[in-house]
Amino acid sequence: DVTGLTDLADEDPFALPKGLRQKVALASVLAFRPPLIIFDEPTTGLDGPEQEEMMGLLGELVRAGHGVLVITHAVWVAARYASRIVLFSDGRIMADGAPREILGAPDLLARAGVEPPASVRVSQAMGWPALLSPQEFRQVVRLGGPAVS
């Protein structure tokens, strides 16, 4: 049971907290074994640990071979979990590429009205490549800065 809901099989899904209701919705879709799962704003209404848990669950699905498309305004989600970002503005595609490429382009993000994650802003202010998450930033700092190639 990927969603961890087995123990709640007899519960009324409408009485469950938001994070568990999101998992019920995902489990109901997974029952059909779709080749692609499209999830609109999977972290909305969830607290920090629930957001991490939901994104971890979606990551498990990707590793299991499912296609997962996430629509989000949470830039940190795209920075930390996406393998590809398609940036939209006014209903049009502005960019399509790797997270570091898209989120490391401040002019592009400004035109789209998107604020890059703090780790990207700070790393670029230091003259480093765009570091996509606090975890990545911490790791690079521990190593004494980015490797020069």
Side-chain angles (χ1 to χ4, degrees):
D1 175 28
V2 159
T3 58
L5 295 172
T6 305
D7 294 343
L8 301 173
D10 295 329
E11 299 292 324
D12 177 358
F14 295 105
L16 296 173
K18 172 88 170 147
L20 290 177
R21 287 195 315 266
Q22 297 248 107
K23 284 184 177 181
V24 168
L26 180 57
S28 66
V29 169
L30 289 174
F32 291 98
R33 302 192 187 283
L36 175 66
I37 300 162
I38 301 173
F39 215 135
D40 187 16
E41 300 291 356
T43 59
T44 297
L46 305 181
D47 65 20
E50 289 174 325
Q51 290 177 1
E52 294 287 345
E53 185 177 354
M54 178 59 71
M55 294 312 301
L57 175 58
L58 294 179
E60 287 178 36
L61 294 172
V62 168
R63 287 186 291 281
H66 291 275
V68 176
L69 185 138
V70 172
I71 301 163
T72 187
H73 289 89
V75 179
W76 75 269
V77 168
R80 185 160 176 199
Y81 294 99
S83 59
R84 175 178 168 200
I85 293 176
V86 179
L87 179 66
F88 284 82
S89 182
D90 295 323
R92 297 178 191 264
I93 296 175
M94 290 190 65
D96 179 353
R100 198 170 316 281
E101 172 190 347
I102 303 299
L103 297 176
D107 293 341
L108 171 67
L109 295 178
R111 286 195 313 273
V114 173
E115 182 76 20
S119 59
V120 169
R121 292 191 315 273
V122 172
S123 61
Q124 289 185 323
M126 296 174 74
W128 295 355
L131 299 175
L132 299 179
S133 68
Q135 295 81 0
E136 188 177 55
F137 190 90
R138 189 170 32 255
Q139 179 181 6
V140 169
V141 168
R142 283 187 184 140
L143 296 173
V148 178
S149 50

